[in-house]
């Protein structure tokens, strides 16, 4: 078995096992740490797909920002982090059944992938230069008027709205009379 | 070389684990963490198809970046809502948050 495939299996095993720990660990704080490990595994998969830019973005956005945000939220709601009561609701067997059925369906389709879409997916195209100029191409694509400039601007507006909105929502209620004085 | 279907299987498994977390967890923060896992699974699919079909096009990476953006916005707003709810109800258990029912 080639070395790349062994690395792939190790990285995916880390990703999936820590993802399972995220949804099963009773201690929410531990679940958040497992989530960081799972994100790290996904970053490893991006590196295996020869996309270092996405791996770096994954590290910055997910491990750097979103995980810290989640850990802050867990600490602020800490009193409910009891490890004695069940972390699952009453419908968890049905949820597990639905997830397993979906996984079976997806897996049965994916295993026939090579016969369904012949020519794609055996080997990746060898385009060293395309991958090396990927970040440049991405920057051009985000600013060229015939590509993604509108979606890019929409994304920046979305981030601004989310920033303002989350500050407004999370702000404690201020007494209006006290506010006027 | 790793076949594309291996990546798809891993992404499908990650998505199903995340879906189970959304359906089965009681704590709203834990549900939000499971949502992040499903978004990661979608991103793996986008990047894998980008790599195995047309690496010279930037479409796959561009959309993965937009998924990042939406995930960050969703995490910020979702956690702000959870903190606001916690202030009012002293609870982040999803099944106790039922004011909209009455």
């Amino acid at each position: 078995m080639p070395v790349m495939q062994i690395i792939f299996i190790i990285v995916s095993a880390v990703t999936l096992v820590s993802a399972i720990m995220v949804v099963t660990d009773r201690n929410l704080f531990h679940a958040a740490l497992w989530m960081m490990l799972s994100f790290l595994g996904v970053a490893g998969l991006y590196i295996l797909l020869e996309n270092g830019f996405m791996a770096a973005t994954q590290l910055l956005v997910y491990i750097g920002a979103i995980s810290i945000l989640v850990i802050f939220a867990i600490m602020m709601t800490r009193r409910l982090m009891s490890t004695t009561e069940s972390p699952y609701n009453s419908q968890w067997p049905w949820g597990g059944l639905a997830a397993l059925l979906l996984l079976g369906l997806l897996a049965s389709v994916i295993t026939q992938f090579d016969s369904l879409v012949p020519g794609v997916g055996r080997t990746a195209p060898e385009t060293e230069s395309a991958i090396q100029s990927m970040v440049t191409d991405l920057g051009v694509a985000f600013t060229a008027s015939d590509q993604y400039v509108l979606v890019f601007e929409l994304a920046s507006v979305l981030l601004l709205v989310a920033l303002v909105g989350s500050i407004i929502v999370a702000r404690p209620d201020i007494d209006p009379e006290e506010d006027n004085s | 070389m790793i076949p594309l279907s291996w990546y798809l299987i891993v992404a499908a498994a990650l998505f199903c684990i995340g879906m189970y977390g959304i359906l089965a967890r009681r704590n709203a923060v834990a549900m939000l963490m499971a949502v992040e896992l499903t978004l990661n699974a979608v991103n793996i699919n986008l990047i894998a198809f980008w790599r195995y079909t047309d690496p010279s096009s930037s479409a796959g990476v561009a959309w993965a970046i937009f998924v990042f953006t939406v995930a960050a916005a969703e995490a910020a707003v979702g956690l702000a809502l959870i903190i606001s709810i916690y202030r009012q109800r002293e609870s982040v258990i999803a099944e106790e948050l039922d004011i909209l029912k009455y």
Side-chain angles (χ1 to χ4, degrees):
Chain A
M1 188 178 268
V3 180
M4 289 297 274
Q5 299 194 351
I6 296 169
I7 296 173
F8 174 85
I9 289 171
I10 293 170
V11 170
S12 351
V14 167
T15 309
L16 292 181
V17 168
S18 46
I20 289 171
M21 292 305 289
V22 171
V23 295
T24 52
D25 205 313
R26 282 167 179 271
N27 189 329
L28 260 190
F29 192 80
H30 290 174
L33 295 180
W34 282 113
M35 183 180 72
M36 289 170 95
L37 187 62
S38 183
F39 289 162
L40 197 68
V42 174
L45 288 179
Y46 292 153
I47 290 172
L48 282 174
L49 286 163
E50 295 175 66
N51 198 329
F53 177 71
M54 280 297 287
T57 317
Q58 171 90 3
L59 285 180
L60 285 173
V61 175
Y62 272 104
I63 301 177
I66 292 181
S67 301
I68 301 300
L69 210 60
V70 168
I71 286 174
F72 263 109
I74 290 169
M75 286 175 165
M76 283 177 174
T77 56
R78 183 139 200 159
R79 256 178 294 164
L80 288 144
M81 275 176 55
S82 77
T83 48
T84 47
E85 62 178 319
S86 167
Y88 302 120
N89 57 24
S90 54
Q91 66 185 6
W92 73 267
W94 298 108
L97 188 68
L100 278 179
L101 282 177
L102 181 66
L103 181 61
L105 180 73
L106 289 174
S108 66
V109 174
I110 291 167
T111 45
Q112 297 171 37
F113 186 83
D114 291 324
S115 53
L116 289 174
V117 194
V120 177
R122 262 298 115 197
T123 53
E126 291 294 333
T127 44
E128 281 297 315
S129 60
I131 284 174
Q132 270 162 17
S133 66
M134 191 215 40
V135 179
T136 320
D137 290 347
L138 197 62
V140 170
F142 276 148
T143 46
S145 57
D146 57 340
Q147 292 191 60
Y148 306 111
V149 67
L150 185 65
V151 196
F152 184 65
E153 295 299 327
L154 270 178
S156 59
V157 172
L158 173 75
L159 279 180
L160 179 68
V161 169
L163 186 69
V164 176
S166 49
I167 292 171
I168 298 283
V169 167
R171 189 171 76 148
D173 290 329
I174 297 166
D175 197 3
E177 289 165 16
E178 199 179 305
D179 204 27
N180 288 335
S181 61
Chain B
M1 197 67 204
I2 306 153
L4 173 58
S5 49
W6 289 24
Y7 286 104
L8 300 185
I9 288 280
V10 171
L14 193 58
F15 186 90
C16 292
I17 293 168
M19 194 181 103
Y20 170 70
I22 299 168
L23 291 174
R25 281 285 210 167
R26 294 176 74 212
N27 191 307
V29 184
M31 291 165 77
L32 210 61
M33 291 198 288
V35 171
E36 300 296 339
L37 289 183
T38 60
L39 288 169
N40 263 283
V42 172
N43 264 351
I44 294 175
N45 264 0
L46 281 172
I47 298 297
F49 274 112
W50 164 81
R51 180 70 186 89
Y52 281 82
T53 53
D54 188 11
S56 56
S57 137
S58 51
V61 185
W63 283 108
I65 300 281
F66 292 136
V67 173
F68 269 159
T69 316
V70 174
E74 169 254 317
V77 175
L79 292 172
L81 280 172
I82 288 169
I83 288 170
S84 170
I85 289 167
Y86 180 72
R87 276 215 190 89
Q88 287 188 8
R89 306 280 306 227
E90 294 286 306
S91 164
V92 287
I93 307 298
E95 52 206 21
E96 291 170 12
L97 309 177
D98 51 3
I99 356 174
L100 281 179
K101 270 163 80 177
Y102 306 111

